């Protein structure tokens, strides 16, 4: 699992590549730590290269969303493939996040 954070026009963009499973969750959460501290900024998570997400990965994204919303920001998931989108639908998370 590879996690990269860039800034595009003042918006933090995290690029997730690989499989966000239980084994990768701790490392991914640590890599995303700057986003947890981003305050009220809107955050984009680029999922174009994300191949799989487990419940541990969903927990990380939900924690990020809660922190962002509490500070007046939002989290948008970009380029989510159909398999991962189905996971969001089955868990009801489809209603929580913004999707592009």
């Amino acid at each position: 699992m590879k996690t990269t954070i860039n800034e595009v026009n003042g918006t933090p963009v995290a690029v997730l590549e690989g499989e966000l499973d239980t084994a990768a969750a701790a490392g991914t959460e640590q890599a995303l730590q700057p986003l947890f501290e981003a305050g009220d900024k809107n955050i984009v998570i680029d999922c174009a290269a994300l191949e799989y997400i487990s419940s541990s990965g969903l927990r990380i994204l939900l924690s990020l969303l809660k922190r962002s919303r509490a500070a007046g920001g939002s989290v948008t998931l970009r380029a989510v493939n159909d398999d991962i989108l189905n996971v969001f639908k089955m868990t009801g998370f489809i209603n929580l996040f913004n999707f592009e």
Side-chain angles (χ1 to χ4, degrees), residues 1-3 16-32 50 52-60:
M1 181 70 202
K2 181 179 177 186
T3 304
L16 304 179
E17 300 177 51
E19 297 184 358
L20 182 46
D21 55 16
T22 303
T28 302
E29 189 167 22
Q30 184 176 4
L32 292 174
L50 185 64
Y52 172 82
I53 191 165
S54 71
S55 59
S56 297
L58 291 172
R59 179 191 56 78
I60 292 168

Short mmCIF file of all heavy atoms in Angstrom, two decimals, residues 1-3 16-32 50 52-60:
data_model
loop_
_atom_site.label_atom_id
_atom_site.label_comp_id
_atom_site.label_asym_id
_atom_site.label_seq_id
_atom_site.Cartn_x
_atom_site.Cartn_y
_atom_site.Cartn_z
N MET A 1 0.85 -1.18 0.00
CA MET A 1 0.00 0.00 0.00
C MET A 1 0.88 1.23 0.00
O MET A 1 1.79 1.34 0.81
CB MET A 1 -0.89 -0.05 1.25
CG MET A 1 -1.85 1.10 1.40
SD MET A 1 -3.15 1.03 0.18
CE MET A 1 -3.64 2.73 0.19
N LYS A 2 0.60 2.13 -0.91
CA LYS A 2 1.35 3.38 -1.00
C LYS A 2 0.38 4.55 -0.83
O LYS A 2 -0.68 4.57 -1.45
CB LYS A 2 2.06 3.47 -2.35
CG LYS A 2 2.90 4.72 -2.52
CD LYS A 2 3.60 4.73 -3.87
CE LYS A 2 4.36 6.03 -4.06
NZ LYS A 2 4.93 6.14 -5.39
N THR A 3 0.78 5.51 0.01
CA THR A 3 -0.04 6.69 0.25
C THR A 3 0.81 7.92 0.02
O THR A 3 1.89 8.05 0.59
CB THR A 3 -0.56 6.70 1.70
OG1 THR A 3 -1.27 5.49 1.95
CG2 THR A 3 -1.48 7.88 1.94
N LEU A 16 -4.21 7.00 -2.87
CA LEU A 16 -4.09 5.67 -2.30
C LEU A 16 -3.84 4.67 -3.43
O LEU A 16 -4.60 4.63 -4.39
CB LEU A 16 -5.37 5.30 -1.55
CG LEU A 16 -5.81 6.24 -0.44
CD1 LEU A 16 -7.10 5.74 0.21
CD2 LEU A 16 -4.72 6.42 0.60
N GLU A 17 -2.79 3.87 -3.27
CA GLU A 17 -2.44 2.88 -4.30
C GLU A 17 -2.27 1.52 -3.65
O GLU A 17 -1.54 1.39 -2.68
CB GLU A 17 -1.13 3.27 -4.98
CG GLU A 17 -1.16 4.61 -5.68
CD GLU A 17 0.20 4.97 -6.26
OE1 GLU A 17 0.77 4.14 -6.99
OE2 GLU A 17 0.67 6.08 -5.96
N GLY A 18 -2.94 0.52 -4.21
CA GLY A 18 -2.78 -0.84 -3.70
C GLY A 18 -4.00 -1.31 -2.93
O GLY A 18 -5.13 -0.93 -3.24
N GLU A 19 -3.74 -2.13 -1.91
CA GLU A 19 -4.81 -2.73 -1.12
C GLU A 19 -4.79 -2.17 0.29
O GLU A 19 -3.82 -2.35 1.02
CB GLU A 19 -4.66 -4.25 -1.09
CG GLU A 19 -4.79 -4.86 -2.46
CD GLU A 19 -4.75 -6.38 -2.44
OE1 GLU A 19 -4.59 -6.98 -1.36
OE2 GLU A 19 -4.90 -6.97 -3.52
N LEU A 20 -5.86 -1.51 0.67
CA LEU A 20 -5.98 -0.94 2.01
C LEU A 20 -6.68 -1.99 2.88
O LEU A 20 -7.88 -1.94 3.12
CB LEU A 20 -6.74 0.38 1.98
CG LEU A 20 -6.93 1.13 3.30
CD1 LEU A 20 -5.64 1.19 4.10
CD2 LEU A 20 -7.46 2.52 3.05
N ASP A 21 -5.89 -2.96 3.32
CA ASP A 21 -6.41 -4.03 4.15
C ASP A 21 -5.93 -3.85 5.59
O ASP A 21 -5.29 -2.85 5.92
CB ASP A 21 -6.00 -5.39 3.59
CG ASP A 21 -4.50 -5.54 3.40
OD1 ASP A 21 -3.73 -4.72 3.97
OD2 ASP A 21 -4.09 -6.47 2.70
N THR A 22 -6.22 -4.81 6.43
CA THR A 22 -5.86 -4.72 7.85
C THR A 22 -4.36 -4.59 8.03
O THR A 22 -3.90 -3.80 8.87
CB THR A 22 -6.38 -5.96 8.60
OG1 THR A 22 -7.80 -6.04 8.40
CG2 THR A 22 -6.09 -5.87 10.09
N ALA A 23 -3.58 -5.29 7.24
CA ALA A 23 -2.12 -5.24 7.36
C ALA A 23 -1.58 -3.85 7.00
O ALA A 23 -0.59 -3.40 7.57
CB ALA A 23 -1.48 -6.30 6.47
N ALA A 24 -2.22 -3.17 6.07
CA ALA A 24 -1.74 -1.86 5.62
C ALA A 24 -2.37 -0.70 6.38
O ALA A 24 -1.94 0.44 6.24
CB ALA A 24 -2.05 -1.70 4.13
N ALA A 25 -3.37 -0.98 7.21
CA ALA A 25 -4.14 0.08 7.84
C ALA A 25 -3.30 0.99 8.73
O ALA A 25 -3.41 2.22 8.64
CB ALA A 25 -5.30 -0.51 8.64
N ALA A 26 -2.47 0.43 9.58
CA ALA A 26 -1.68 1.25 10.52
C ALA A 26 -0.74 2.19 9.77
O ALA A 26 -0.65 3.38 10.08
CB ALA A 26 -0.90 0.37 11.48
N GLY A 27 -0.07 1.68 8.75
CA GLY A 27 0.85 2.50 7.96
C GLY A 27 0.12 3.59 7.19
O GLY A 27 0.58 4.72 7.08
N THR A 28 -1.05 3.25 6.66
CA THR A 28 -1.85 4.22 5.91
C THR A 28 -2.37 5.31 6.83
O THR A 28 -2.33 6.49 6.50
CB THR A 28 -3.01 3.52 5.19
OG1 THR A 28 -2.48 2.51 4.32
CG2 THR A 28 -3.84 4.50 4.40
N GLU A 29 -2.83 4.91 8.01
CA GLU A 29 -3.33 5.90 8.96
C GLU A 29 -2.22 6.86 9.37
O GLU A 29 -2.43 8.07 9.46
CB GLU A 29 -3.91 5.20 10.19
CG GLU A 29 -4.63 6.14 11.12
CD GLU A 29 -5.45 5.39 12.16
OE1 GLU A 29 -5.16 4.21 12.44
OE2 GLU A 29 -6.39 6.02 12.69
N GLN A 30 -1.03 6.33 9.56
CA GLN A 30 0.11 7.18 9.91
C GLN A 30 0.45 8.13 8.75
O GLN A 30 0.72 9.31 8.96
CB GLN A 30 1.32 6.34 10.27
CG GLN A 30 2.51 7.15 10.73
CD GLN A 30 3.65 6.26 11.18
OE1 GLN A 30 3.60 5.04 11.08
NE2 GLN A 30 4.70 6.88 11.67
N ALA A 31 0.41 7.61 7.52
CA ALA A 31 0.72 8.44 6.35
C ALA A 31 -0.32 9.55 6.16
O ALA A 31 0.00 10.63 5.66
CB ALA A 31 0.79 7.57 5.10
N LEU A 32 -1.57 9.29 6.57
CA LEU A 32 -2.64 10.26 6.42
C LEU A 32 -2.73 11.23 7.60
O LEU A 32 -3.56 12.14 7.60
CB LEU A 32 -3.99 9.55 6.25
CG LEU A 32 -4.19 8.77 4.96
CD1 LEU A 32 -5.50 8.01 5.00
CD2 LEU A 32 -4.13 9.69 3.75
N LEU A 50 -6.58 2.50 -6.05
CA LEU A 50 -6.93 1.68 -4.90
C LEU A 50 -7.64 0.43 -5.41
O LEU A 50 -8.64 0.50 -6.12
CB LEU A 50 -7.84 2.46 -3.95
CG LEU A 50 -8.20 1.78 -2.64
CD1 LEU A 50 -6.95 1.54 -1.78
CD2 LEU A 50 -9.21 2.60 -1.86
N TYR A 52 -8.46 -2.42 -3.33
CA TYR A 52 -9.26 -3.13 -2.34
C TYR A 52 -9.31 -2.28 -1.07
O TYR A 52 -8.36 -1.58 -0.75
CB TYR A 52 -8.60 -4.49 -2.02
CG TYR A 52 -9.22 -5.23 -0.87
CD1 TYR A 52 -10.37 -6.00 -1.05
CD2 TYR A 52 -8.67 -5.16 0.40
CE1 TYR A 52 -10.94 -6.67 0.01
CE2 TYR A 52 -9.23 -5.84 1.47
CZ TYR A 52 -10.37 -6.59 1.26
OH TYR A 52 -10.94 -7.27 2.32
N ILE A 53 -10.43 -2.36 -0.35
CA ILE A 53 -10.53 -1.70 0.95
C ILE A 53 -11.24 -2.64 1.92
O ILE A 53 -12.27 -3.23 1.57
CB ILE A 53 -11.24 -0.33 0.86
CG1 ILE A 53 -11.09 0.44 2.16
CG2 ILE A 53 -12.68 -0.48 0.45
CD1 ILE A 53 -11.43 1.91 2.06
N SER A 54 -10.67 -2.81 3.10
CA SER A 54 -11.27 -3.65 4.14
C SER A 54 -11.99 -2.76 5.15
O SER A 54 -11.97 -1.53 5.05
CB SER A 54 -10.18 -4.46 4.85
OG SER A 54 -9.39 -3.60 5.66
N SER A 55 -12.58 -3.38 6.14
CA SER A 55 -13.26 -2.62 7.19
C SER A 55 -12.27 -1.72 7.93
O SER A 55 -12.64 -0.63 8.37
CB SER A 55 -13.96 -3.55 8.16
OG SER A 55 -13.05 -4.43 8.78
N SER A 56 -11.02 -2.13 8.03
CA SER A 56 -10.00 -1.28 8.66
C SER A 56 -9.77 -0.02 7.85
O SER A 56 -9.59 1.07 8.40
CB SER A 56 -8.69 -2.05 8.81
OG SER A 56 -8.85 -3.15 9.64
N GLY A 57 -9.78 -0.14 6.54
CA GLY A 57 -9.63 1.02 5.67
C GLY A 57 -10.83 1.93 5.75
O GLY A 57 -10.70 3.16 5.77
N LEU A 58 -12.02 1.34 5.82
CA LEU A 58 -13.23 2.14 5.96
C LEU A 58 -13.20 2.93 7.27
O LEU A 58 -13.61 4.09 7.31
CB LEU A 58 -14.48 1.25 5.91
CG LEU A 58 -14.80 0.60 4.57
CD1 LEU A 58 -15.94 -0.39 4.72
CD2 LEU A 58 -15.13 1.65 3.53
N ARG A 59 -12.70 2.30 8.32
CA ARG A 59 -12.61 2.97 9.62
C ARG A 59 -11.72 4.20 9.54
O ARG A 59 -12.05 5.26 10.08
CB ARG A 59 -12.08 2.00 10.69
CG ARG A 59 -11.94 2.65 12.06
CD ARG A 59 -11.17 1.77 13.03
NE ARG A 59 -9.85 1.38 12.56
CZ ARG A 59 -8.76 2.17 12.57
NH1 ARG A 59 -8.84 3.40 13.00
NH2 ARG A 59 -7.61 1.71 12.14
N ILE A 60 -10.60 4.08 8.83
CA ILE A 60 -9.69 5.22 8.68
C ILE A 60 -10.37 6.36 7.95
O ILE A 60 -10.30 7.51 8.37
CB ILE A 60 -8.42 4.78 7.92
CG1 ILE A 60 -7.60 3.83 8.78
CG2 ILE A 60 -7.58 6.00 7.52
CD1 ILE A 60 -6.49 3.12 8.01
#
